[in-house]
Amino acid sequence: NFPNSIFELQNLTSLRLSSTDLSGRLDFHQFAKFKNLKYLDLSQNSLLSINFDSTADYFLPPNLKYLNLSSCNINSFPKFLAPLEDLVALDLSHNSICGSIPQWFHEKLLHSWNNISYINLSFNKLQGDLPIPPNGIQYFLVSNNELTGNIPSAICNASSLNILNLAHNNLTGQILQCLATFPSLLALDLQMNNLYGNILWNFSKGNALETIKLNSNQLDGPLPRSLAHCTNLEVLDLADNNIEDTFPHWLESLQELQVLSLRSNKFHGVITCFGAKHPFPRLRIFDVSNNNFSGPLPASYIKNFRGMVSVNDNQTGLKYMGNQDFYNDSVVVVMKSPYMKLDRILTIFTTIDLSNNMFEGELPKVIGQLHSLKGLNLSHNAITGTIPRSFGNLRNLEWLDLSWNRLKGEIPVALINLNFLAVLNLSQNRLEGIIPTGGQFNTFGNDSYGGNPMLCGFPLSKSCNKDEDWPPHSTYLHEESGFGWKAVAVGYACGLVFGMLLGYNVFMTGKPQWLARLVEGVLN
């Protein structure tokens, strides 16, 4: 239980009890006893029941500057915040606060809390208009609520922002262009709203942006070339919009870019390298699926994906992208078939998704050099040729989807070396021969190979040892090579008729003179 004896320590200036599994009932008005308290952190105590008595006339310590009540089972907006005058950081995230944000809170933001630098109201059930962040604030996070309306133009005054996260709300209207000019903005996250219009922003040179997430809105038009000014950019997610443009090859100069997702838009044309010496050197997640790209697979880019080549076996512990204290980078990927959101992106996570386009030509052998690759999806294209044996070098691969193409030839035996392969889909192609056995291949079912009538062996019911098991298509191929059963039958019949005629001639006329002369000539 919460130790009530702690209220006897009335000279406390800092009390941090985060993530201590405290339980029981806590009367919050007792914190008024701490006249000198500046820092209070009770976050991550989901078993603790905090009683906020709205009828009680009490005030928190006047010097309180840092208040963290994240994940404390709060279901109403705490009124005791109103008298505070010098608040610097407030965290009410991951609670169940519902309803509109009270008007007094809006007034505090605009007129009283001049020194506040951090506000986190994320993961609640807040409704109504978006609160306006005050001038001088650095971190403003109100994601995963039910806020509506436009992004107010007054937000342009908060030019000192480092992180602006308005994701997963119901905001509408166009995105303000001033957001592209904030000099110290590191992360701009507006994903999963109803924002619309063109992204005709003029990103200023020398900006600090590391993350731009505009996915799952209704944005359209082409991309602004000023995105190339974001030289520190690590994550660019524009998926699930209506953007219509060719591939933004002018982004290839961004040396820090690690995640590029253009999934489910209206991009079109051929993806080709336009002269950068080392295009996309750190790229680890490349997703252009569900567009209208055509031409050959972008081998000129793939061979330069140095961020997918090396495997750091010396790394200890898990490392994630983003500022771990204030913001985590996230991305949605097709991972082993369904869409899956990675709330945090491991720095060792690498995947390529070029599915559902109109790519053609053969599979580049250079893909086999991406040793750290964990996922490869090239399905639903018009890819021809065979599966390169070099794919057997992808020792970290966990899922491989080459379905719905025009691949032919045998499945390379080298693929049994993929010890981490959990999902394999080679269905709806023109593959033939014996399915390799051993390793992970012993775990895949019929669905991995369906629609390839010339494949045989486990797990298919068709054996490779019986001629009658071969489908008509394989018979046709044998005929093309000149050794089909029809050709043999015709030759046999012709030989039989010729032999009978020759025998009949010998029997009726005796020894034919022409045959005798032929034999004598051979003997002489």
Side-chain angles (χ1 to χ4, degrees), residues 492-506:
Y492 180 84
C494 293
L496 179 62
V497 172
F498 179 78
M500 291 178 66
L501 291 175
L502 181 61
Y504 176 79
N505 187 37
V506 171

Side-chain angles (χ1 to χ4, degrees), residues 336 374 396-400 418-425 440-441 443-445 448:
K336 305 176 182 179
K374 292 189 177 294
N396 288 282
L397 202 64
E398 296 181 12
W399 68 96
L400 174 62
L418 307 182
N419 296 325
F420 295 105
L421 194 62
V423 174
L424 175 67
N425 192 348
Q440 292 296 100
F441 271 74
T443 67
F444 302 135
S448 295

